[in-house]
Amino acid sequence: MNDEQLLRYSRQIMLPDVDLDGQEKLLAARVLIIGLGGLGSPVAMYLAAAGVGHLTLVDFDSVDLSNLQRQIVHTNARIGVNKAASAAQSVRELNPDVAITCIETLLTADELAEQVKQASVVVDCSDNFQTRFAINAACVAAKVPLVSGAAIRLEGQIAVFDSRTETSPCYRCLYEEDSDDLTCAANGVLAPLVGIIGSMQALEAIKLICGFGSNLAGRLLLLDARHSQWRELKLPKDHNCPVCSQRVPE
């Protein structure tokens, strides 16, 4: 690290859990963020601020006026601009040292698999089950840890699925493929809720990269924003899961 980087990340380097070694790991890491909406906004900004060396930003959608109530990486001036491109601009303004790969199209299965293979950690900030299942399958196949988050109305959840560990469940262990999508457009969402869940996703990604603390693998955190209450549920591996069950030891 040069002197400017040492100053930029000084408050983080002071932490014994991070130190110089952890900061070097962050600078060497590549994180794939899929979805640059309400969740992806704080994820991208906090990972860039923390010094993740390479961010791959993926979103085929464009910024709409209704997004700005919660998708804080975008601005009024960027309405109509692709969300990945808009997020990339904000990230560059925050930390110009971060390398950015910007993907403004819907990834094919092969393209998704290739991007996942290149990543240190994948952060799923998408808003539909089809995409989440595809991301999960790619992460299981490549043995890349996945940080998953969701938020709707006044409810949020976050979990980590780490297929590097034999006993870790995957996203498919939690949800059936015929699960119904809930959208913010149809159900609404409170602005700070996505900020809380997205910030937690960024935290879990940093912990996975640096290797400190206890991550959320095997646990599901649920947030009731109405009453400011967190619940933790144990999430065991489903031995009949069609995606990861073949990895269960005999």
Side-chain angles (χ1 to χ4, degrees), residues 230-241:
W230 287 94
R231 280 197 304 151
E232 178 182 313
L233 303 178
K234 297 293 184 183
L235 184 60
K237 189 180 186 78
D238 181 0
H239 289 211
N240 296 311
C241 175

Side-chain angles (χ1 to χ4, degrees), residues 211-223:
F212 70 84
S214 300
N215 65 54
L216 286 172
R219 296 185 287 158
L220 177 67
L221 282 188
L222 302 173
L223 173 60

Side-chain angles (χ1 to χ4, degrees), residues 9 15 47 49 66 77 79 83 90-91 174 177 181 190 209 219 231 249:
Y9 307 120
L15 300 172
L47 292 185
S66 64
I79 290 175
K83 288 183 179 179
S90 294
V91 166
L174 178 61
E177 287 192 350
D181 284 317
L190 192 67
I209 293 166
R219 296 185 287 158
R231 280 197 304 151

Side-chain angles (χ1 to χ4, degrees), residues 168-206:
S168 175
C170 75
Y171 187 80
R172 184 62 176 77
C173 294
L174 178 61
Y175 286 107
E176 296 289 338
E177 287 192 350
D178 58 356
S179 299
D180 294 327
D181 284 317
L182 295 175
T183 66
C184 293
N187 295 272
V189 63
L190 192 67
L193 175 62
V194 292
I196 294 169
I197 299 300
S199 296
M200 287 292 293
Q201 287 181 274
L203 173 62
E204 291 299 307
I206 289 170

Side-chain angles (χ1 to χ4, degrees), residues 31-50:
V31 176
L32 173 62
I33 305 173
I34 301 179
L36 276 304
L39 298 175
S41 291
V43 169
M45 296 298 279
Y46 273 119
L47 292 185

